[in-house]
Amino acid sequence: MKKKECIAMLLAGGQGSRLGALTKNIAKPAVSFGGKYRIIDFSLSNCANSQIGTVGVLTQYRPFRLNSYIGTGAAWDLDERDGGVFILPPYATQSGGEWYKGTADAVFQNLDFIDAHAPEYVLILSGDHLYRMDYRKMLKSHLDNNAELTVSVMRVPWEEASRFGIITADADGRIAKFTEKPRKPDSDLASMGIYIFSRDVLKKALVEDSRDPKSEHDFGKDIIPKLLAGGHRLYCYEFSGFWKDVGTIPSYHETSMGLLDPKPEFDLYSPEFPVMSNANIQPPHYIGPSGSANNCMIANGCRVFGSVRHSILSLDSYVGEGAEVTDSILLPGAKVKRGARVTRAILGEGAVVAENASLGSPDPNTEIAVVGDEFVVDREV
């Protein structure tokens, strides 16, 4: 097997419980976003665009749909002979089997995979964030600093800093302190959960952590503080682009609606750094003679016979005659039947709003209405 300079380990096993009904049956990285995409598309596309051709995807919670969606990795040009995408679920050993106990434990359990490719550097990613990043620039920073670990960071508003892992660094970017969700932050540099390790340092740190009975086996809570205490060379790489964790219903809805702005903060249409997807087999969308759409994103396979305004219709969605959909997101296969009304809502995959039923409210002070996969709304909700 050809030796790699850098491979990626993509953490995609999270349940994403804050998304409620949307993740009842699938992992958070598999949730549909932006019409034709799933959240994991953004990390996989970043790897492909950064010429990182070997990606281990660590799955755990409800993995079937995610596994089948990723397939061979060909949709992201990640099916090369000496690399590609590899699904890495928890597995049994002679001493038994168990779920991943934390982000660090997930990578620790797959050290054999890393050793098989023998990279000099290992990129650790989360599969549930929206952003566009060229990891080659971060790797160059890692090399220039002769770092043993580089943490991607971005500046956040001071009033939000306590929600993140906060990094304090010197003028050269060397990390002096890391605090997980501090009550009184002393810096506005927040960790993005993106790391580049020199392989030998990563292996030693994971093995030592696995033997610590008090550890939570987490990169932010355990690995980084231990490396700092040991005097290792840790540096930060400051990122200034768009980055969003869409792990709550308000964040998911707000970020989705932001795609419809005349000049969106996150542009899905950039030809220089495209977002790729394994969803290109459906026929073109169709807007019928009585249908209309204004300021919408409508994916392939959709049929619109009613009125749709400021909304996102994912693959194979349907809006019947006389139906109205406003400020809403229909996930793949969702149906709004004749005469129904949907406002400020998210319909799960295959969900149905029955004829003349109503879902959601235009009042911005009310919660966004959410229904899960295959759920049927047959009255006013």
Side-chain angles (χ1 to χ4, degrees):
M1 185 175 292
K2 185 179 178 181
K3 185 176 180 180
K4 303 287 184 177
E5 180 183 33
C6 183
I7 68 170
M9 300 295 279
L10 200 162
L11 300 164
Q15 177 180 355
S17 58
R18 294 178 299 164
L19 284 175
L22 300 185
T23 52
K24 181 179 179 180
N25 299 314
I26 59 175
K28 179 181 172 184
V31 171
S32 176
F33 183 86
K36 66 173 289 184
Y37 304 101
R38 294 187 183 273
I39 294 175
I40 198 171
D41 281 331
F42 299 91
S43 295
L44 289 174
S45 296
N46 285 340
C47 288
N49 289 319
S50 302
Q51 298 179 4
I52 295 177
T54 300
V55 182
V57 181
L58 286 66
T59 61
Q60 181 161 269
Y61 173 79
R62 298 279 188 175
F64 173 74
R65 195 176 299 176
L66 187 63
N67 295 355
S68 60
Y69 179 74
I70 293 173
T72 65
W76 303 270
D77 292 330
L78 293 172
D79 57 345
E80 61 184 53
R81 179 176 178 180
D82 293 318
V85 175
F86 300 82
I87 304 297
L88 303 173
Y91 58 89
T93 66
Q94 290 180 331
S95 59
E98 58 185 341
W99 278 32
Y100 297 140
K101 291 177 286 190
T103 56
D105 180 62
V107 178
F108 169 73
Q109 289 195 39
N110 288 283
L111 284 179
D112 286 348
F113 172 81
I114 294 174
D115 287 340
H117 293 276
E120 296 180 57
Y121 309 101
V122 180
L123 172 66
I124 310 292
L125 303 171
S126 172
D128 55 10
H129 294 155
L130 262 61
Y131 64 109
R132 183 182 276 114
M133 179 188 286
D134 188 340
Y135 301 130
R136 290 170 296 188
K137 295 179 180 179
M138 184 176 173
L139 180 58
K140 183 179 184 303
S141 173
H142 184 82
L143 296 173
D144 289 346
N145 290 322
N146 191 28
E148 295 174 292
L149 164 62
T150 298
V151 180
S152 184
V153 300
M154 67 182 303
R155 296 194 180 276
V156 297
W158 279 94
E159 61 272 17
E160 297 181 15
S162 59
R163 296 175 42 225
F164 299 90
I166 293 299
I167 285 174
T168 304
D170 64 20
D172 295 324
R174 183 162 182 172
I175 299 173
K177 181 181 177 183
F178 181 92
T179 312
E180 185 71 21
K181 298 181 179 179
R183 294 181 61 185
K184 294 182 178 181
D186 55 10
S187 168
D188 63 346
L189 285 177
S191 169
M192 299 169 64
I194 302 170
Y195 315 112
I196 291 181
F197 283 87
S198 297
R199 178 167 61 109
D200 291 344
V201 174
L202 174 64
K203 286 186 62 176
K204 183 178 179 181
L206 291 177
V207 169
E208 291 178 353
D209 180 73
S210 71
R211 297 168 178 165
D212 183 354
K214 297 181 180 179
S215 176
E216 295 183 39
H217 310 293
D218 182 85
F219 280 105
K221 295 177 182 177
D222 303 289
I223 301 297
I224 295 177
K226 289 174 183 176
L227 289 175
L228 273 175
H232 288 272
R233 294 178 59 82
L234 276 59
Y235 281 81
C236 56
Y237 170 76
E238 189 167 344
F239 178 70
S240 58
F242 179 92
W243 177 82
K244 195 79 170 182
D245 180 350
V246 290
T248 66
I249 291 297
S251 176
Y252 179 88
H253 186 269
E254 178 185 357
T255 306
S256 297
M257 294 295 97
L259 299 176
L260 303 174
D261 292 343
K263 293 184 179 180
E265 192 175 1
F266 186 79
D267 182 10
L268 287 174
Y269 299 92
S270 171
E272 292 82 16
F273 213 84
V275 180
M276 292 164 264
S277 166
N278 191 13
N280 297 310
I281 60 174
Q282 282 82 356
H285 72 263
Y286 173 74
I287 299 179
S290 61
S292 65
N294 181 270
N295 195 20
C296 296
M297 296 181 73
I298 303 179
N300 287 357
C302 292
R303 292 176 294 157
V304 178
F305 299 93
S307 172
V308 183
R309 295 187 296 274
H310 197 250
S311 294
I312 295 175
L313 273 57
S314 304
L315 299 159
D316 296 324
S317 298
Y318 174 88
V319 179
E321 290 186 8
E324 296 182 4
V325 177
T326 307
D327 296 330
S328 295
I329 304 163
L330 274 57
L331 300 191
K335 292 179 174 59
V336 181
K337 296 292 189 70
R338 179 193 298 265
R341 302 179 70 176
V342 175
T343 308
R344 290 186 69 249
I346 303 173
L347 292 186
E349 299 197 26
V352 176
V353 179
E355 289 191 13
N356 301 314
S358 179
L359 175 69
S361 167
D363 184 355
N365 296 315
T366 60
E367 291 187 356
I368 297 159
V370 182
V371 297
D373 296 355
E374 310 295 335
F375 190 86
V376 177
V377 179
D378 56 6
R379 55 185 175 81
E380 183 174 344
V381 179

